[in-house]
Amino acid sequence: MSRRRRARDGGQSARQSKPTEGGNQVGIRNEAGSQPKGRQGGGRLRWFKADLHTHTPASNDYEEPGITYLQWLTTARERGLDIVAITDHNTVAGVAAIRREIEWLTRLKEENRLTPEERANLEQWLKLANEIVILPGFEFTATFGFHILAVYPPETSIRRLEHTLLRLNVPEDRLLVGSTETGASTDVTSAYETIVDSGGIAIAAHANSTNGVAMRNFPFGGQTKIAYTQDQNLSALEVTDLESRSRRATARFFNGSKPEYPRKMHCIQGSDAHRLNNDPRNSRRLGLGERATELLLPEPTFDAIKDLFASRFFDRTRPFRAPEKEVDHLAAARAEGPNQTQSFHESANKKGGRQTVVLADLCAFANTDGGTIFVGASARKGKVKGLSASRQVQKELQQAISERLSPPLETRFEILTNSGGDVLRIGVDAGDAKPYCLDGSKFYVRNDAETSMALRDEIVALVLESVGLSSDLVANGDSDEAPAANGHAGSGKTDGNAARSSRGSDSRAKQGSAGSDDPFYLPQDGVEIVDSETRGGTTYYVVRNMRNQRSVGNVTRKGARKLWNYAIAQYEDSPVKAGQIRWKENVGYIRSGKRAGKKRFDLALREGSDLRVFYGVTSEGMEGAWAQFVDESD
C-alpha cells in the first residue's frame, strides 16, 4: 500500500494501524506542544462558536464521501468554529483517521521524506491545531432508534472510545461501518450512564425531531418520557427549534416550570452535517457549522463545556447567528412579553421606588423558577427608552442586591446595546437557599407575569422545600377532616360551613396524576380551587397553583391576586354546570378569553363522579389531551 493511500485510508484501516493515543486536539500537536494560541484562560468569559454534532466520511450516510479530513477540518475553521465535535454513527473511525494521518505525516517529517504536498498538509494541520478544538465522540443509536451524542476530552484514546461502544452493545464487526443500524443495543438511560462513566458527556441528539428522546407524541408511558429527558446523566438537549418563539418550542417546554419536568435543561443546536455545504435542493440538509451554538466560557475546553452544562447558567448558551443575520434578543423578549420568568422595567432609579420594584422581581424569581429582568425597556411596542448611564445603574443595582437581598443572591449582568440606548439584562436562577427576602422581612414570589408578596402558606412551603420536606399539608394545617360528600371543590359552591381538608384534595390530585402515568394528566399552569371554609361570614379558599402543585390556604376574594381573584369570582358567581362543558372524553373546555395580555382557558376534568375545574390556563400549559382545546374560543 502506498504511503499516500495509508494516510487517506481512514476508517478501513483503523484497527490495523496504531492510532495516536491522546494528544492535543485529537492527536494534533503544534511544534511546541503548547496550548493553542488565543485559547488561554484567565477567568474572562468569551463567546465561542461550537458545533457539537457533525459527521465525517466515516459515517456511511455521509453525502460527500470524496472529501479529505483536512478539507473537512479546514471548512470547519473557515465557518468560524472554535469547537467542533466529531460524532459519527456508532463509530470513531473518523477520529482515528485524523490521528493516524497526523502520525503518518509527522513520521515522514522525522525521516525527512515529506513531499511538498505532504509538507503543506502537515503545516495546515498544525495551523488548525492552534485555531480549533476538536472533541472526539460518536452518535449512538439506543434501543427503539433514539440517538444520543457522546462527546469526550481531546486526549481520549481510540481504545477507550471503542471500548465504550462495545459496552453499549455495538457489535464489534460494526465498529467501522458508521451505520445508524446496530441491532439490539442499550436502552437510553443506561446509555447516558455508560457515556458519563467512561468520561464523556451525554447530549440528546435532535431531541425534538426524528429519533429524538423528547418526541412528546411517541407512544411511551409518561414516566419513561420523563426519565429520557430528566435523567441526571444527561447534560443537554440538542434541538432543531432553538430560535422558535412558538409556545411549542422545545426549550420553552423544558424550562423547569412543569411539575412533571422540574429540571430545567440546557438546550443547544447543532448542524448534524452530513456534508460540507448545505444541499440547495433540501434546506434541511445543512453544511458543517451552519447551525451552531455559542457558549460563554472562560476557555474553549471540554471541562469548561462540561461545567457549563452542569451549572444553572442557562443564559450562557445561545444560537449562533452571523452578523448580517444577528438576532435582536431584546426584541424577541419584548415580543414574548412579561411571563413567569421574564419582566421589564424602564428604569431602576432609587427615586420613586423603581429600584425596589426591580429587587422585588429578583427576589420573586429566586424564590420561584428563576428569570430574566430587562432594565431600560418596557414590553410595550415602540421605541426602547434605554439607560443613559447603564454601567452606573448596574453598579447601583449590584450594591443594592448585596445590601438589601438576603441570603446572598448570585446574579448575572449583561449590557445590551440598542439604538434607543443601553439595556441591562439581569439573570437569576431559582435559588438553593430559599426563601429569599428583601430588606429583611419582605418575601416575594412570581405567579405568571405578576410579582406578589408571599402569603404565609407560601413562605412556610418555601422553608419546608429548602430542607427537603413536603409542603402538602401547609394549606390547611394538620386537619384530619374527611372530604365532604358533595363532590370536588371545583364542581360548584361548597355547602355553607363545610370545610374539606386540603390533605384529602391534595392527595387525590397527586394520586390521579400518578395513576394515569401521564405527565400531562393535569394542565401545567392556571389555578384550581380545592377547598373552602366560611369563618365569621367570610369564605376562605385553598387555591392550588398548577404550575408547581403548591396549595395556598386562607385566600379571600377581596385579598386574592389577579388570577386567583378571577377564579374565586367565577367559582362564586358562575358555578360550572356539566351541561356547559364541551367534553372530549374525560377533559373538557368551558370558556376562554384574553386576560393579563394572554388568551386563557377554563377547563374541566372528570374523575369518576368528581369534577375538577382549572381557571386561567394558558396555551403553554396545555399539553397532551388538553392541547386539542388551544384553538377553541368563546
Side-chain angles (χ1 to χ4, degrees):
M1 180 183 294
S2 72
R3 66 185 187 186
R4 288 175 179 77
R5 184 178 175 192
R6 288 178 61 187
R8 297 288 187 267
D9 188 23
Q12 299 305 315
S13 303
R15 303 185 68 82
Q16 287 78 34
S17 175
K18 180 181 177 181
T20 301
E21 298 298 338
N24 194 23
Q25 321 305 343
V26 192
I28 306 175
R29 293 184 182 276
N30 56 29
E31 295 288 64
S34 61
Q35 190 176 20
K37 296 177 182 178
R39 305 297 182 193
Q40 288 76 12
R44 186 173 67 89
L45 296 178
R46 278 185 51 203
W47 288 102
F48 293 97
K49 183 180 179 182
D51 191 345
L52 301 183
H53 188 177
T54 69
H55 293 267
T56 75
S59 289
N60 72 352
D61 58 352
Y62 197 76
E63 298 171 7
E64 297 172 330
I67 71 162
T68 68
Y69 288 95
L70 184 55
Q71 285 177 300
W72 184 91
L73 188 58
T74 299
T75 300
R77 188 53 190 154
E78 289 174 349
R79 297 272 159 81
L81 291 176
D82 300 297
I83 306 167
V84 64
I86 298 177
T87 53
D88 288 310
H89 295 297
N90 303 296
T91 186
V92 290
V95 179
I98 291 176
R99 291 183 177 180
R100 190 167 47 258
E101 181 162 349
I102 301 305
E103 182 185 64
W104 176 247
L105 291 173
T106 302
R107 184 181 305 169
L108 291 177
K109 179 182 179 182
E110 292 171 352
E111 298 173 357
N112 199 26
R113 297 168 53 202
L114 283 171
T115 67
E117 179 186 358
E118 289 167 339
R119 184 178 302 279
N121 287 348
L122 179 58
E123 290 175 354
Q124 178 68 1
W125 280 115
L126 297 177
K127 179 177 181 292
L128 290 170
N130 282 323
E131 298 177 342
I132 188 168
V133 176
I134 308 175
L135 302 177
F138 50 81
E139 183 175 10
F140 172 64
T141 305
T143 51
F144 300 106
F146 293 113
H147 289 189
I148 303 167
L149 301 177
V151 180
Y152 290 83
E155 66 273 10
T156 308
S157 68
I158 298 299
R159 186 178 297 113
R160 174 182 286 274
L161 294 171
E162 290 190 333
H163 177 66
T164 303
L165 285 167
L166 292 173
R167 286 177 61 191
L168 292 169
N169 294 325
V170 175
E172 185 173 358
D173 61 359
R174 305 286 292 176
L175 287 180
L176 300 179
V177 176
S179 171
T180 59
E181 303 297 329
T182 60
S185 57
T186 302
D187 69 89
V188 170
T189 54
S190 295
Y192 295 157
E193 183 178 7
T194 300
I195 291 166
V196 172
D197 182 63
S198 62
I201 56 177
I203 300 171
H206 36 72
N208 60 310
S209 188
T210 307
N211 301 111
V213 300
M215 294 194 68
R216 289 172 242 169
N217 295 325
F218 204 85
F220 272 134
Q223 298 307 311
T224 301
K225 292 180 180 180
I226 293 169
Y228 281 5
T229 57
Q230 300 281 280
D231 189 273
Q232 62 179 355
N233 290 308
L234 180 65
S235 289
L237 302 176
E238 182 209 23
V239 301
T240 62
D241 61 348
L242 190 56
E243 295 186 83
S244 172
R245 309 311 298 177
S246 166
R247 72 174 191 89
R248 302 285 294 176
T250 311
R252 294 185 70 178
F253 180 87
F254 290 99
N255 64 4
S257 65
K258 293 178 169 53
E260 301 288 354
Y261 292 83
R263 182 187 171 201
K264 186 173 182 177
M265 296 300 299
H266 287 277
C267 291
I268 63 172
Q269 63 182 16
S271 68
D272 191 11
H274 287 68
R275 53 193 299 123
L276 292 186
N277 301 299
N278 70 301
D279 186 345
R281 298 167 298 178
N282 185 346
S283 60
R284 294 187 177 184
R285 308 298 293 176
L286 298 176
L288 182 60
E290 291 183 342
R291 185 167 60 203
T293 299
E294 285 191 301
L295 307 174
L296 188 60
L297 306 169
E299 56 185 354
T301 64
F302 172 85
D303 287 340
I305 295 172
K306 181 178 179 181
D307 289 345
L308 173 57
F309 288 160
S311 77
R312 302 175 75 173
F313 298 138
F314 298 100
D315 55 355
R316 283 173 52 185
T317 63
R318 67 187 186 191
F320 172 80
R321 274 294 172 261
E324 64 272 16
K325 299 181 180 179
E326 187 173 357
V327 175
D328 187 335
H329 296 284
L330 175 60
R334 295 179 77 199
E336 189 173 341
N339 56 34
Q340 178 75 15
T341 58
Q342 187 168 272
S343 68
F344 298 82
H345 301 278
E346 289 193 324
S347 71
N349 299 330
K350 293 181 182 179
K351 185 177 180 180
R354 300 313 303 169
Q355 184 186 87
T356 298
V357 175
V358 173
L359 295 178
D361 276 0
L362 283 171
C363 181
F365 286 144
N367 281 330
T368 316
D369 300 320
T372 302
I373 301 174
F374 294 89
V375 180
S378 71
R380 299 185 300 273
K381 294 181 179 179
K383 186 177 180 180
V384 173
K385 180 179 179 181
L387 300 171
S388 58
S390 56
R391 295 196 180 278
Q392 180 63 26
V393 174
Q394 176 178 337
K395 182 178 178 180
E396 292 174 355
L397 279 172
Q398 288 173 323
Q399 182 176 350
I401 290 168
S402 176
E403 294 175 350
R404 300 180 62 187
L405 286 174
S406 59
L409 182 62
E410 184 175 358
T411 54
R412 298 176 299 281
F413 282 77
E414 183 179 1
I415 297 177
L416 304 178
T417 302
N418 189 278
S419 58
D422 290 345
V423 174
L424 274 182
R425 178 165 60 184
I426 312 171
V428 61
D429 298 314
D432 295 323
K434 299 174 184 176
Y436 293 84
C437 70
L438 176 63
D439 296 332
S441 60
K442 300 172 185 175
F443 299 84
Y444 292 90
V445 291
R446 188 77 172 178
N447 287 283
D448 201 7
E450 181 183 6
T451 288
S452 308
M453 290 281 289
L455 300 177
R456 176 259 182 194
D457 288 356
E458 290 175 309
I459 297 173
V460 174
L462 288 170
V463 173
L464 291 176
E465 289 173 13
S466 71
V467 295
L469 297 177
S470 172
S471 59
D472 287 353
L473 305 182
V474 171
N476 211 15
D478 291 324
S479 171
D480 289 323
E481 297 178 41
N486 63 337
H488 194 275
S491 61
K493 297 181 183 179
T494 54
D495 181 17
N497 294 322
R500 290 190 297 269
S501 88
S502 150
R503 175 184 298 180
S505 38
D506 270 356
S507 173
R508 177 166 48 191
K510 293 177 184 297
Q511 290 171 357
S513 179
S516 69
D517 193 34
D518 180 358
F520 309 120
Y521 177 75
L522 301 174
Q524 302 295 294
D525 60 22
V527 298
E528 178 185 19
I529 296 176
V530 297
D531 208 348
S532 66
E533 179 182 9
T534 300
R535 302 192 301 266
T538 301
T539 303
Y540 297 85
Y541 294 92
V542 176
V543 180
R544 179 185 291 120
N545 184 340
M546 302 308 297
R547 189 183 296 275
N548 55 25
Q549 291 296 307
R550 184 180 297 145
S551 296
V552 179
N554 299 307
V555 180
T556 65
R557 180 172 180 175
K558 182 178 180 180
R561 297 169 184 156
K562 295 176 182 178
L563 182 57
W564 297 3
N565 178 273
Y566 165 79
I568 294 173
Q570 291 294 324
Y571 180 83
E572 290 183 349
D573 301 340
S574 305
V576 175
K577 297 180 175 58
Q580 72 184 92
I581 302 173
R582 191 178 310 166
W583 291 104
K584 293 186 179 180
E585 296 184 355
N586 67 318
V587 298
Y589 166 86
I590 302 171
R591 65 179 74 88
S592 64
K594 192 169 184 179
R595 291 184 292 277
K598 290 185 177 181
K599 186 176 181 180
R600 297 177 183 271
F601 300 77
D602 294 346
L603 306 169
L605 174 68
R606 281 190 294 217
E607 290 183 332
S609 60
D610 287 346
L611 174 67
R612 300 177 65 178
V613 176
F614 311 101
Y615 298 95
V617 181
T618 69
S619 58
E620 287 86 354
M622 297 166 67
E623 298 284 349
W626 305 101
Q628 62 189 312
F629 298 126
V630 169
D631 295 328
E632 297 279 0
S633 60
D634 286 332

